[in-house]
Amino acid sequence: MNIQNEILMDVHGSCVSYSILSKKDDCGFQHNIPGVKTNLYFSHVNMAGSMTSPITYEPKESDFILSDQHVIRNIMTDLKKDAVSTLLSSEAQYLIIDFYDMARSQWAYENGSYTHVADLSIAAPDYYKQIQHELLGAFRWIDLPTNLWYCHIDRYMNTMIQKYGADHIILNRLNLNRYYIDENSVLQEFSPCTHYLGSYKENEKIRQLEHYIIQKYSIVNIDLAKYFLSD
């Protein structure tokens, strides 16, 4: 297919959605959909948090001592709150979303939050010293009454529908597993110490949010994750 005819897709969610469009995994297996190309990818940039205010002192790439550029870009995007504005200027025709980040811990600051994907005291120690007095503690949006944060999701969805159209937004539904298959092909239960990354206990709340979005905005949805286990 001619590259000019490729469909560009933006992803705002997690690897749950991005992996669908990835070209090749570490084992050499092809997963890409012919004629479809990933454009922008925002990973672990919470949608409700995206509609809040940026932090007072915005980070710079030079503040980080991490080597993972993907993590750096997404932390910066989350703190600066420029995911939505970047998506609005995208050339992509479609947007894929998922709500995995609703199950992940956030750090609150005045009028905003960011997803805890890296400890800033280690990843960007000098920058962390600048903002640590602003941080108010950890929380999760999904633990709050829905009337406090569904409004942020509604604002996000209305903005994205104006940009892409409801028929060009795809919700990739997910199911967080309680068990995984280890390197010895033995079924194991995830340790409670990993629950800050997301837990099967949040599946019901995430399902409720997914139902709300599907019914209110009539967007396309894919529901395959319940048939898989992590390894």
Side-chain angles (χ1 to χ4, degrees), residues 34-46:
V36 175
K37 182 180 179 182
T38 307
N39 189 42
L40 300 173
Y41 173 34
F42 295 116
S43 171
H44 308 309
V45 179
N46 185 282

Side-chain angles (χ1 to χ4, degrees), residues 69-91:
Q69 293 299 308
H70 173 72
V71 172
I72 293 173
R73 284 194 302 271
N74 284 286
I75 293 176
M76 291 180 62
T77 293
D78 211 0
L79 289 166
K80 295 167 67 174
K81 301 302 173 203
D82 57 8
V84 170
S85 60
T86 304
L87 288 170
L88 288 176
S89 62
S90 170
E91 297 180 355

Side-chain angles (χ1 to χ4, degrees), residues 13 30 34 45 81 83 85 133 138 155 181 184 193-194 211 215 227:
Q30 292 290 137
V45 179
K81 301 302 173 203
S85 60
H133 68 283
R155 286 173 53 219
I181 302 169
N184 298 313
C193 69
T194 66
H211 282 304
Q215 292 173 5
Y227 300 114

Side-chain angles (χ1 to χ4, degrees), residues 104-164:
R104 294 194 61 144
S105 294
Q106 304 280 304
W107 278 106
Y109 55 84
E110 186 175 358
N111 298 321
S113 74
Y114 69 93
T115 305
H116 182 35
V117 294
D119 187 338
L120 287 181
S121 66
I122 298 173
D126 291 337
Y127 174 70
Y128 177 75
K129 292 175 183 177
Q130 285 185 295
I131 66 166
Q132 61 179 333
H133 68 283
E134 292 191 48
L135 301 182
L136 304 175
F139 80 106
R140 294 185 311 176
W141 288 103
I142 206 166
D143 293 329
L144 302 177
T146 57
N147 65 305
L148 296 179
W149 60 279
Y150 267 37
C151 55
H152 293 316
I153 299 296
D154 282 330
R155 286 173 53 219
Y156 176 88
M157 289 302 303
N158 285 321
T159 303
M160 293 301 106
I161 285 173
Q162 289 181 19
K163 160 64 179 176
Y164 298 93

Side-chain angles (χ1 to χ4, degrees), residues 8-123:
L8 291 180
M9 286 196 170
D10 293 329
V11 178
H12 188 176
S14 69
C15 58
V16 171
S17 294
Y18 178 73
S19 295
I20 296 174
L21 304 175
S22 63
K23 295 188 181 301
K24 186 179 289 187
D25 64 19
D26 293 338
C27 298
F29 293 107
Q30 292 290 137
H31 296 294
N32 61 304
I33 303 170
V36 175
K37 182 180 179 182
T38 307
N39 189 42
L40 300 173
Y41 173 34
F42 295 116
S43 171
H44 308 309
V45 179
N46 185 282
M47 290 179 195
S50 293
M51 306 309 293
T52 61
S53 300
I55 200 161
T56 303
Y57 300 101
E58 293 189 354
K60 303 183 296 296
E61 190 170 339
S62 58
D63 291 326
F64 292 84
I65 60 175
L66 291 176
S67 58
D68 192 326
Q69 293 299 308
H70 173 72
V71 172
I72 293 173
R73 284 194 302 271
N74 284 286
I75 293 176
M76 291 180 62
T77 293
D78 211 0
L79 289 166
K80 295 167 67 174
K81 301 302 173 203
D82 57 8
V84 170
S85 60
T86 304
L87 288 170
L88 288 176
S89 62
S90 170
E91 297 180 355
Q93 300 99 326
Y94 285 83
L95 174 67
I96 296 182
I97 61 174
D98 67 71
F99 292 125
Y100 169 63
D101 292 314
M102 290 300 166
R104 294 194 61 144
S105 294
Q106 304 280 304
W107 278 106
Y109 55 84
E110 186 175 358
N111 298 321
S113 74
Y114 69 93
T115 305
H116 182 35
V117 294
D119 187 338
L120 287 181
S121 66
I122 298 173

